[in-house]
């Protein structure tokens, strides 16, 4: 069976079409809506554009047309939509109804306007093209934050750590770590103590009284003369009591205390201090 397009091209079909159009001139739609000055003709051209849009929208539903054909069809539909808007404005100027306000609106399943693209719409299979599908994907809704009351429902003894020892795992680990920590602390203390004792011994060996006098009795005058001859000098002999280093330090501390009292203490306090020292026999 021949196709419809082939049937339309037969001689009989062309003859019949010529008979129907005999004496008639097929009128073309004006390129600009402003060129039309009659309201009925403007209504006619608007209906014609709507019919063409419907046909192309039906064609674009077929995803097997290919990406390039689908994009071309979508562009043609958007072009016809803009032209329809021009004719609606012209109809309003000629005193007709305001279709832009009261006419049927585009629904989402017919075409969704993409924000920021100056009203460009996608229809049918064009919405599944690469790069277009992402425009229609909605962002995931953010998770709602729990209120204070909802958060407090989950707070129990386990939240504060009161049940951490019930599993029987934490206590042995704590005991092991505690034993290791004690051994480490004891070893550290022994090391520090040994180093302190050694340092103290060294300080005691190095510290020697500057007032120590080595008085060695010489058995006889001959040996004393020999020692003096060998050393090349006369040995030191203390004829008066010499204070020790500790006594000198104590005297310096008392002197410093007196200077501070005289500088910062009042006369009454100094008198009381002097009286106390007198009573104590200091």
């Amino acid at each position: 069976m021949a196709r419809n397009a082939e049937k339309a091209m037969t001689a009989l079909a062309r003859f019949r079409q010529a008979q129907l159009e005999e004496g008639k001139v097929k009128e073309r739609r004006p390129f600009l809506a402003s060129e039309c000055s009659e309201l009925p003709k403007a209504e006619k051209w608007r209906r014609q554009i709507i019919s063409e849009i419907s046909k192309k929208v039906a064609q674009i539903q077929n995803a097997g047309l290919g990406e390039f054909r689908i994009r071309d069809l979508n562009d043609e539909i958007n072009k016809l939509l803009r032209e329809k808007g021009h004719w609606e404005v012209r109809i309003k100027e000629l005193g007709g109804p305001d279709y832009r306000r009261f006419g049927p609106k585009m629904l989402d399943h017919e075409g969704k306007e993409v924000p920021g693209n100056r009203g460009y719409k996608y229809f049918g299979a064009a919405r599944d093209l690469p790069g277009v599908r992402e425009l229609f994907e909605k962002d995931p809704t953010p998770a709602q934050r729990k209120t204070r009351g909802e958060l407090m429902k989950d707070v129990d003894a386990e939240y504060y750590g009161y049940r951490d020892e019930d599993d029987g795992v934490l206590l042995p680990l704590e005991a092991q770590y505690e034993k290791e920590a004690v051994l480490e602390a004891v070893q550290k203390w022994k090391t520090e103590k040994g180093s302190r004792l050694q340092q103290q011994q060294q300080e005691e060996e190095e510290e020697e009284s500057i007032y120590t006098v080595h008085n060695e009795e010489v058995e006889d005058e001959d040996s004393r003369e020999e020692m003096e001859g060998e050393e090349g000098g006369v040995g030191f002999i203390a004829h008066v009591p010499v204070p020790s280093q500790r006594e000198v330090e104590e005297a310096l501390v008392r002197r410093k205390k007196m200077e501070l009292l005289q500088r910062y203490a009042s006369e009454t306090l100094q008198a009381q201090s002097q009286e106390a020292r007198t009573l104590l026999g200091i």
Side-chain angles (χ1 to χ4, degrees), residues 63-203:
L65 295 176
E67 180 180 352
F68 299 103
R69 178 56 182 162
I70 291 174
R71 290 187 184 273
D72 292 341
L73 278 174
N74 200 76
D75 292 339
E76 293 173 5
I77 293 172
N78 280 274
K79 183 179 179 181
L80 290 173
L81 286 174
R82 289 194 298 270
E83 189 175 355
K84 182 174 75 73
H86 297 327
W87 282 106
E88 290 174 351
V89 172
R90 184 59 179 167
I91 290 172
K92 183 180 178 181
E93 292 175 354
L94 295 174
D98 187 2
Y99 290 105
R100 297 176 67 89
R101 183 175 181 182
F102 301 104
K105 298 181 179 180
M106 285 291 175
L107 302 177
D108 291 342
H109 68 277
E110 294 181 354
K112 184 174 181 180
E113 183 175 348
V114 180
N117 285 348
R118 299 181 181 179
Y120 192 86
K121 301 177 184 294
Y122 293 93
F123 298 87
R127 302 179 65 176
D128 296 328
L129 293 175
V132 181
R133 188 183 303 107
E134 291 77 3
L135 299 175
F136 295 96
E137 292 179 354
K138 295 182 179 179
D139 297 334
T141 56
Q144 293 184 348
R145 297 184 62 184
K146 292 185 178 180
T147 61
R148 186 177 182 85
E150 293 175 350
L151 293 174
M152 292 302 295
K153 291 180 181 178
D154 300 330
V155 176
D156 52 7
E158 188 174 359
Y159 175 81
Y160 293 102
Y162 291 119
R163 297 178 182 173
D164 292 344
E165 301 175 355
D166 295 346
D167 55 0
V169 178
L170 186 61
L171 289 178
L173 293 176
E174 287 183 350
Q176 180 181 356
Y177 289 133
E178 183 179 0
K179 185 177 180 180
E180 294 177 357
V182 170
L183 291 176
E184 184 179 355
V186 170
Q187 185 66 26
K188 183 179 179 181
W189 176 79
K190 289 181 179 179
T191 304
E192 292 179 354
K193 183 179 180 181
S195 61
R196 285 199 301 269
L197 290 175
Q198 185 177 2
Q199 184 178 2
Q200 186 176 1
Q201 290 177 0
Q202 291 178 357
E203 290 178 355

Side-chain angles (χ1 to χ4, degrees), residues 5-279:
E6 294 176 356
K7 289 180 179 180
M9 294 301 295
T10 60
L12 180 59
R14 283 183 284 140
F15 176 73
R16 181 59 180 167
Q17 185 69 22
Q19 281 184 341
L20 293 175
E21 294 180 359
E22 185 178 358
K24 298 181 180 179
V25 179
K26 190 173 182 180
E27 189 176 5
R28 295 183 60 184
R29 184 170 68 237
F31 183 74
L32 297 175
S34 59
E35 296 178 357
C36 180
S37 57
E38 299 178 10
L39 180 59
K41 288 186 177 181
E43 295 275 4
K44 172 186 174 182
W45 303 133
R46 178 180 176 275
R47 289 194 298 270
Q48 184 181 13
I49 293 173
I50 293 176
S51 176
E52 294 178 4
I53 292 174
S54 300
K55 293 179 182 179
K56 292 185 181 296
V57 169
Q59 293 177 9
I60 203 173
Q61 302 300 325
N62 184 10
L65 295 176
E67 180 180 352
F68 299 103
R69 178 56 182 162
I70 291 174
R71 290 187 184 273
D72 292 341
L73 278 174
N74 200 76
D75 292 339
E76 293 173 5
I77 293 172
N78 280 274
K79 183 179 179 181
L80 290 173
L81 286 174
R82 289 194 298 270
E83 189 175 355
K84 182 174 75 73
H86 297 327
W87 282 106
E88 290 174 351
V89 172
R90 184 59 179 167
I91 290 172
K92 183 180 178 181
E93 292 175 354
L94 295 174
D98 187 2
Y99 290 105
R100 297 176 67 89
R101 183 175 181 182
F102 301 104
K105 298 181 179 180
M106 285 291 175
L107 302 177
D108 291 342
H109 68 277
E110 294 181 354
K112 184 174 181 180
E113 183 175 348
V114 180
N117 285 348
R118 299 181 181 179
Y120 192 86
K121 301 177 184 294
Y122 293 93
F123 298 87
R127 302 179 65 176
D128 296 328
L129 293 175
V132 181
R133 188 183 303 107
E134 291 77 3
L135 299 175
F136 295 96
E137 292 179 354
K138 295 182 179 179
D139 297 334
T141 56
Q144 293 184 348
R145 297 184 62 184
K146 292 185 178 180
T147 61
R148 186 177 182 85
E150 293 175 350
L151 293 174
M152 292 302 295
K153 291 180 181 178
D154 300 330
V155 176
D156 52 7
E158 188 174 359
Y159 175 81
Y160 293 102
Y162 291 119
R163 297 178 182 173
D164 292 344
E165 301 175 355
D166 295 346
D167 55 0
V169 178
L170 186 61
L171 289 178
L173 293 176
E174 287 183 350
Q176 180 181 356
Y177 289 133
E178 183 179 0
K179 185 177 180 180
E180 294 177 357
V182 170
L183 291 176
E184 184 179 355
V186 170
Q187 185 66 26
K188 183 179 179 181
W189 176 79
K190 289 181 179 179
T191 304
E192 292 179 354
K193 183 179 180 181
S195 61
R196 285 199 301 269
L197 290 175
Q198 185 177 2
Q199 184 178 2
Q200 186 176 1
Q201 290 177 0
Q202 291 178 357
E203 290 178 355
E204 290 178 356
E205 291 176 358
E206 293 176 357
E207 183 179 2
E208 186 177 357
S209 177
I210 58 175
Y211 301 104
T212 303
V213 178
H214 300 282
N215 295 325
E216 296 180 357
E217 296 181 358
V218 183
E219 295 180 356
D220 51 3
E221 294 180 359
D222 296 336
S223 60
R224 181 182 300 175
E225 292 177 357
E226 292 177 358
M227 291 177 61
E228 291 178 357
E230 292 177 357
E231 295 177 358
V234 181
F236 176 76
I237 300 175
H239 299 284
V240 295
V242 179
S244 64
Q245 185 177 358
R246 185 181 299 276
E247 293 175 352
V248 173
E249 291 177 354
E250 292 177 356
L252 292 175
V253 171
R254 286 197 301 272
R255 182 178 178 183
K256 190 66 177 179
K257 286 182 180 179
M258 291 300 298
E259 291 179 357
L260 293 175
L261 285 174
Q262 292 176 1
R263 180 179 300 180
Y264 298 106
S266 60
E267 296 180 356
T268 304
L269 185 61
Q270 292 180 11
Q272 293 176 356
S273 178
Q274 183 65 29
E275 183 178 357
R277 285 197 299 272
T278 304
L279 293 174

